[in-house]
Amino acid sequence: MAALLGHILKTRNNSFLLRNITRTFDTISSSSLHQTPFILPSLSQVRLVGNAAESVCGFDEMVGGKDRKYYMLGGKGGVGKTSCAASLAVKFANHGHPTMVVSTDPAHSLSDSLAQDLTGGKLVPVEGVSSPLYALEINPDKSMEEFRTAGQKLGGGGAKSLMQSIGLGAIADQLGELKLEEMLHTPPPGTDEIIAITKVMQFLESEEYSMFSRIVFDTAPTGHTLRLLSLPDFLDGSIGKLIKMKMKLGSVFGSLLGKEQPQNNPLDKLEKLKENVAKIHDLFHNPDTIEFIIVTIPTVMAISESSRLHASLKKERVPVKRLIVNQVLPPTSGCKFCSMRLKDQMRAIETIHNDSELSGLRLYEAPLVDMEIRGVPALKFMGDNLWR
């Protein structure tokens, strides 16, 4: 604990954390300072719920091995996914793993959690950890603009005008009935996230980033994540039509115009996108390389949504082993409101035991603390108490 305080003293922008820790230490006797962590007893727990969870190991399993592994943290909005993801990334880095933590949520908060500016859409080194740790906030607006630009070049008048100029206007009209231009101009909800992840795949395929052995994704809320799982089928069906069209008509255009196809054909980007989606689809289903961790809070509504999320993930054969219940209140006395809220939380947590979807997961309980978890020292504190 003394080492933690020393590290915090050397860290800028963390005076708020020091004040809160000092205030709490005033209530702890000096004789117990080296024995008692800065957390009330029984707050940070890891429990097994049901027989199936007994085979799930703790953090030792997660940190073991040097092969690359991916961890996706998701759940209802506002449950603390970003803090949990960032704390896991910090702990991986402090255990010798070069780590990348990536936010695919259009409403980013990873910058706030790490107390660093990540808005440039590029990998940013995170200071204060033992091994390399880099963070990235994907810019979904920029990615979507690239997607729309490709669609406009294909269907926004250019392709149709070309076909009409060479006497294929009837074919152009028939193709227009497929609504492909509309599809590319207004992609369905969730497309921004799949494009964001494919951009991450581009980083990972580069030799420059081959050093990362742990990749942590801070995903968007439940609805976006569930739509993400259905996007491979959409891309196979809709963009697949465009790819087949190119294969059939590309050679015709070349022979009629007497020149080769341009090297930077926008459709090539869609082909690459489709290939990346196939890789992501395979990645989602490989239990040896990926794990989805559900994050929730101790309310009946949040736990019910987590149950539905797990059912959908199981249907899609996405590996899930762990459930984090965040923001659990400490035992209280003399506060009627706090006591009532704690009883309500315990009743909500008890529903997990009786839930057919969640009862087989390894349950982690993370405490509600009296400070804002922001910056590497605070994330290390959270991770040391959560990931056990």
Side-chain angles (χ1 to χ4, degrees), residues 14-48:
N14 281 289
S15 59
F16 70 95
L17 183 56
L18 180 59
R19 289 196 300 272
N20 280 281
I21 291 179
T22 304
R23 185 178 68 250
T24 304
F25 276 5
D26 289 340
T27 66
I28 303 176
S29 65
S30 59
S31 61
S32 64
L33 186 59
H34 297 290
Q35 301 175 357
T36 306
F38 173 60
I39 194 164
L40 292 176
S42 303
L43 279 186
S44 183
Q45 310 178 44
V46 179
R47 294 193 290 165
L48 300 180

Side-chain angles (χ1 to χ4, degrees), residues 207-218:
E207 185 67 25
E208 182 180 356
Y209 304 105
S210 61
M211 66 174 183
F212 295 111
S213 58
R214 291 295 180 272
I215 314 297
V216 180
F217 288 104
D218 172 29

Side-chain angles (χ1 to χ4, degrees), residues 296-306 308 344 347-349 351:
T296 189
I297 54 176
T299 67
V300 173
M301 291 179 63
I303 291 173
S304 296
E305 182 170 318
S306 298
R308 293 191 294 271
D344 192 55
R347 283 193 293 266
I349 292 175
T351 63

Side-chain angles (χ1 to χ4, degrees), residues 34-270:
H34 297 290
Q35 301 175 357
T36 306
F38 173 60
I39 194 164
L40 292 176
S42 303
L43 279 186
S44 183
Q45 310 178 44
V46 179
R47 294 193 290 165
L48 300 180
V49 184
N51 295 329
E54 295 178 0
S55 62
V56 181
C57 299
F59 183 75
D60 289 343
E61 178 213 21
M62 300 172 72
V63 78
K66 294 299 182 181
D67 293 336
R68 177 174 291 172
K69 293 183 179 179
Y70 302 81
Y71 290 89
M72 301 183 71
L73 283 80
K76 182 180 174 67
V79 298
K81 297 185 298 297
T82 301
S83 296
C84 291
S87 69
L88 179 59
V90 168
K91 187 151 189 175
F92 277 143
N94 283 331
H95 279 72
H97 281 288
T99 303
M100 179 193 300
V101 56
V102 183
S103 172
T104 62
D105 190 344
H108 296 297
S109 57
L110 188 58
S111 288
D112 298 327
S113 183
L114 292 169
Q116 290 190 218
D117 184 8
L118 308 176
T119 57
K122 298 180 180 180
L123 285 173
V124 176
V126 178
E127 300 177 354
V129 291
S130 302
S131 297
L133 173 60
Y134 284 77
L136 171 67
E137 284 184 345
I138 298 295
N139 187 333
D141 294 334
K142 183 177 180 180
S143 300
M144 288 301 299
E145 185 60 32
E146 292 178 2
F147 191 85
R148 292 191 182 100
T149 299
Q152 290 171 354
K153 290 180 179 179
L154 285 169
K160 184 174 180 179
S161 299
L162 175 61
M163 295 178 73
Q164 289 176 338
S165 67
I166 60 177
L168 297 178
I171 296 179
D173 292 337
Q174 292 177 357
L175 294 177
E177 295 176 0
L178 295 176
K179 305 295 184 182
L180 297 178
E181 176 182 352
E182 180 181 351
M183 178 198 73
L184 288 170
H185 186 65
T186 56
T191 307
D192 53 351
E193 192 165 10
I194 195 71
I195 292 178
I197 293 182
T198 57
K199 281 194 166 292
V200 173
M201 294 293 291
Q202 294 172 8
F203 279 114
L204 302 181
E205 290 174 351
S206 171
E207 185 67 25
E208 182 180 356
Y209 304 105
S210 61
M211 66 174 183
F212 295 111
S213 58
R214 291 295 180 272
I215 314 297
V216 180
F217 288 104
D218 172 29
T219 69
T222 302
H224 287 271
T225 302
L226 294 179
R227 284 193 293 266
L228 170 63
L229 298 175
S230 66
L231 275 174
D233 292 336
F234 165 79
L235 293 172
D236 280 339
S238 300
I239 297 183
K241 293 180 182 179
L242 291 175
I243 295 175
K244 292 178 181 178
M245 191 184 309
K246 179 199 173 189
M247 295 174 62
K248 292 181 179 179
L249 300 180
S251 59
V252 176
F253 289 161
S255 60
L256 289 174
L257 294 175
K259 56 184 179 181
E260 298 180 354
Q261 289 284 307
Q263 293 183 352
N264 296 324
N265 193 324
L267 195 53
D268 292 337
K269 294 184 179 181
L270 298 180

